[in-house]
Amino acid sequence: MIEWKKAKLGAIADMCLGKMLDKEKNKGEFHPYLGNINVRWGGFDFKNLNQMRFEDHEHERYGLEVGDLVICEGGEPGRCALWRGDQPGMKIQKALHRVRVKKGYDTEFVFYRILLAGKNGELEKHFIGSTIKHLTGVGLKEVEFAYPPESQQKRIANVLSALDAKIELNNQINAELEGIAKLLYDYWFVQFDFPMTAAQAAALGRPDLTGQPYRSSGGKMVFHPTLNRPIPEGWECGTLDNLGEVQGGSTPSKENEENFCSKGTPWITPKDLSDNKGNKFIQRGETDVSDAGRKAASLKLLPAGTVLLSSRAPIGYLAIASNPVTTNQGFKSFVPNKGYGSDFIFQTLRHFMKLIEQNASGSTFKEISGGTLKAIKVPLPQQQLAKLYTDKVHSLSAQQQNLETQNQELTELRDWLLPMLMNGQVTVG
C-alpha cells in the first residue's frame, strides 16, 4: 500500500500575489496581464485582456512560467487553471495568486487536487469575509492535501489530463467549425456575396454569372431609406420578429421545493448559459422543473432548435436548445417556426447583438423587452437563400453538437474519477 503524506501548499510551493493596478504609480512598459475574469476552471479566457505597466525588475515576480498554477483570490475564490505558455510574456494582476510547485510534487496533480477541493467545498474553510469571500495568501498556504509519491502523482495526473486534452481538442475543432459557419454567414449576408441565382444573372443579361458572388459580380443593390443602407434587390426591411416566434420564460416559486427536481424538464437560466460559454448548444441547466413547477409558472416547452437569447443579467448569451427546454424570465427565445432555420437565426442574432444591446433599457441592469426586441429592423434575405445557408452549415452544426455531447460525457467521466483517484480509492498502475 503506497503511503500518502499530508502537506500544506505553503510547504510545497512558492506563491506570489499579482501586481496592484495603479495607473498613476505604475511605471515601465505595457504588458498584457490576467485578471480574475480571465481565469476559468482548467483554462483561460483571453478575450478582453487588459494591459498595465511593468518595470524590468517586475517581470520575474509577476510573470508566468509553464507549469504555474493561477488561482483566483476573489470572485470565485480558488478557481484555478494551469499555465501552459499560451501567450508569452503574460503577467498577473493582484486578484490572482501564482503558485509554483517545488520539486517532488507534480503541478498537474496539485491542480486536479485543487479542482476537487473547489467542487466539494474543502477550500471554503480557508476563505475570509462574511459577504464577499476571499482566499488570501495566508489562507492558501494553509490548504492541506495528502500526496502519494511523485511517480504516482504523475500517473494519476496523466489519466485526468488525457481526458482534458481530448476535451480541449474537441473545443478547438468546434471553434474552427463555428469560424467557418460565421465566415460563410458574413460573406453571404453581410458582404452580400451570396451565390447569384439564374434569375438574378438573367436580369443582368449575364447568365454566365449564375453561382458567382452577387455584389462582387455587379448584382443590383437598392438603397433602403428605413435601413439607411443599400441592400440586394429582392431583400426586405424586416424585423427580428420575422425570424421566429419570440417567447419569454418564468420562475416557479422557490418556496415550494416540489417545483424543482433533478430529473424533470430542463429549465435554463442566464447563469446556465454563462457556465455553457464556448458551446453552441445546451441540453439542460443546473436545475430542472417538475411537472407541478411547469404548471404553476405556466412554463411553455420550447422545442429543440429554439435559439435562446439572454435578455438581461447580462444581455447577449446565445445557445441552441438540443432538446425541449423551458427558461426563466431572463430570456427572449426564438422558436424557428417562420421559415428561418436555427443556424441562420443564431448567426443573425449574434451579428446584430450590438444593436440589440443599444436598444436595451434600465438604470441598474440593462434589459431588452420582448416588444423592443421584436421591432428591431434588419435586412432580410429571401427565405430560400437563408435555407440554402442552413443546408450548407447543417453538417458543421451537427458535428459541433456531437463533439459537445462527447465533451459532456468526458467531463462527467473525469469528475467521477477525480475523487476516487485523489483519495487512493482507485490506483493507476
Side-chain angles (χ1 to χ4, degrees):
M1 183 73 177
I2 298 175
E3 184 181 0
W4 291 46
K5 296 181 180 179
K6 289 186 176 182
K8 294 181 179 180
L9 282 181
I12 70 165
D14 295 320
M15 302 182 185
C16 174
L17 198 62
K19 183 177 179 178
M20 173 74 77
L21 176 61
D22 190 326
K23 294 182 179 179
E24 295 184 0
K25 294 182 180 180
N26 290 346
K27 299 178 181 179
E29 300 296 323
F30 281 101
H31 290 269
Y33 68 88
L34 297 173
N36 189 290
I37 61 171
N38 302 115
V39 181
R40 297 285 176 260
W41 276 113
F44 299 92
D45 183 353
F46 295 113
K47 295 177 183 176
N48 304 314
L49 273 180
N50 290 314
Q51 295 190 350
M52 76 166 93
R53 294 182 182 274
F54 290 87
E55 298 180 68
D56 290 344
H57 67 88
E58 295 177 315
H59 294 326
E60 182 176 351
R61 177 173 177 80
Y62 300 118
L64 293 174
E65 296 180 1
V66 174
D68 285 345
L69 294 171
V70 182
I71 301 176
C72 292
E73 187 269 346
E76 184 185 359
R79 192 170 66 233
C80 178
L82 183 62
W83 185 251
R84 301 182 188 277
D86 307 78
Q87 294 192 24
M90 187 64 68
K91 309 294 188 294
I92 57 170
Q93 189 247 358
K94 192 178 180 181
L96 300 173
H97 299 283
R98 185 200 67 203
V99 176
R100 191 166 291 166
V101 176
K102 297 177 182 179
K103 290 182 179 180
Y105 293 86
D106 182 74
T107 188
E108 286 201 351
F109 180 92
V110 177
F111 160 69
Y112 285 113
R113 189 60 186 84
I114 294 173
L115 175 63
L116 176 60
K119 287 179 176 294
N120 64 17
E122 285 180 90
L123 292 180
E124 294 179 7
K125 63 184 178 183
H126 300 286
F127 297 166
I128 64 168
S130 55
T131 306
I132 301 176
K133 303 294 183 181
H134 292 273
L135 178 58
T136 66
V138 173
L140 187 60
K141 289 179 179 179
E142 291 299 310
V143 173
E144 186 177 61
F145 302 131
Y147 298 89
E150 185 179 12
S151 59
Q152 182 70 1
Q153 292 177 38
K154 290 183 179 296
R155 287 194 292 271
I156 291 172
N158 286 342
V159 171
L160 298 168
S161 63
L163 294 172
D164 278 337
K166 174 57 177 171
I167 292 171
E168 179 58 28
L169 177 60
N170 287 349
N171 286 336
Q172 292 174 7
I173 294 172
N174 269 353
E176 293 293 330
L177 294 172
E178 184 59 23
I180 295 170
K182 182 181 182 301
L183 181 64
L184 185 62
Y185 179 91
D186 290 346
Y187 192 56
W188 284 15
F189 303 108
V190 179
Q191 300 177 39
F192 306 128
D193 269 335
F194 50 86
M196 191 179 295
T197 65
Q200 291 166 337
L204 294 173
R206 293 284 307 277
D208 58 301
L209 292 178
T210 301
Q212 296 301 306
Y214 183 85
R215 189 170 188 174
S216 299
S217 300
K220 188 175 180 181
M221 303 292 292
V222 179
F223 183 82
H224 198 289
T226 303
L227 295 171
N228 194 31
R229 61 178 296 187
I231 60 176
E233 186 178 41
W235 285 37
E236 299 178 352
C237 172
T239 65
L240 292 181
D241 189 43
N242 295 124
L243 296 178
E245 180 184 354
V246 179
Q247 289 285 340
S250 61
T251 299
S253 172
K254 293 188 176 180
E255 293 181 1
N256 185 352
E257 295 181 357
E258 294 183 357
N259 285 336
F260 299 91
C261 57
S262 58
K263 292 184 179 180
T265 301
W267 182 68
I268 312 296
T269 70
K271 181 181 181 300
D272 294 322
L273 257 61
S274 175
D275 294 339
N276 193 59
K277 196 174 181 180
N279 292 325
K280 187 172 185 175
F281 296 88
I282 189 166
Q283 293 181 354
R284 60 190 342 108
E286 186 176 315
T287 305
D288 286 358
V289 291
S290 64
D291 291 341
R294 279 182 58 193
K295 184 177 180 180
S298 300
L299 280 167
K300 181 171 182 178
L301 192 63
L302 305 174
T306 297
V307 181
L308 310 180
L309 166 67
S310 64
S311 55
R312 67 180 188 185
I315 297 169
Y317 287 147
L318 281 173
I320 300 175
S322 295
N323 42 258
V325 302
T326 60
T327 74
N328 77 351
Q329 62 274 20
F331 286 88
K332 299 294 180 288
S333 301
F334 287 73
V335 180
N337 58 5
K338 296 185 178 181
Y340 294 97
S342 301
D343 287 296
F344 179 80
I345 296 172
F346 180 90
Q347 297 294 346
T348 300
L349 291 175
R350 184 162 74 171
H351 178 70
F352 288 104
M353 195 60 69
K354 286 186 178 180
L355 183 59
I356 292 171
E357 292 171 348
Q358 289 169 4
N359 279 272
S361 60
S363 55
T364 305
F365 295 105
K366 294 289 185 181
E367 181 174 4
I368 182 83
S369 70
T372 301
L373 182 69
K374 292 177 183 180
I376 292 176
K377 292 180 172 58
V378 295
L380 283 180
Q382 300 95 333
Q383 287 193 353
Q384 60 265 33
L385 180 59
K387 183 179 184 304
L388 180 61
Y389 171 80
T390 300
D391 291 342
K392 289 282 187 183
V393 302
H394 174 74
S395 61
L396 303 180
S397 197
Q399 189 174 353
Q400 286 177 279
Q401 190 171 8
N402 179 53
L403 291 175
E404 287 182 13
T405 300
Q406 282 187 31
N407 277 359
Q408 290 173 1
E409 293 170 352
L410 290 168
T411 300
E412 289 172 2
L413 175 60
R414 183 202 63 195
D415 292 348
W416 178 70
L417 285 172
L418 185 61
M420 293 188 292
L421 288 169
M422 289 296 163
N423 63 22
Q425 185 178 346
V426 174
T427 60
V428 181

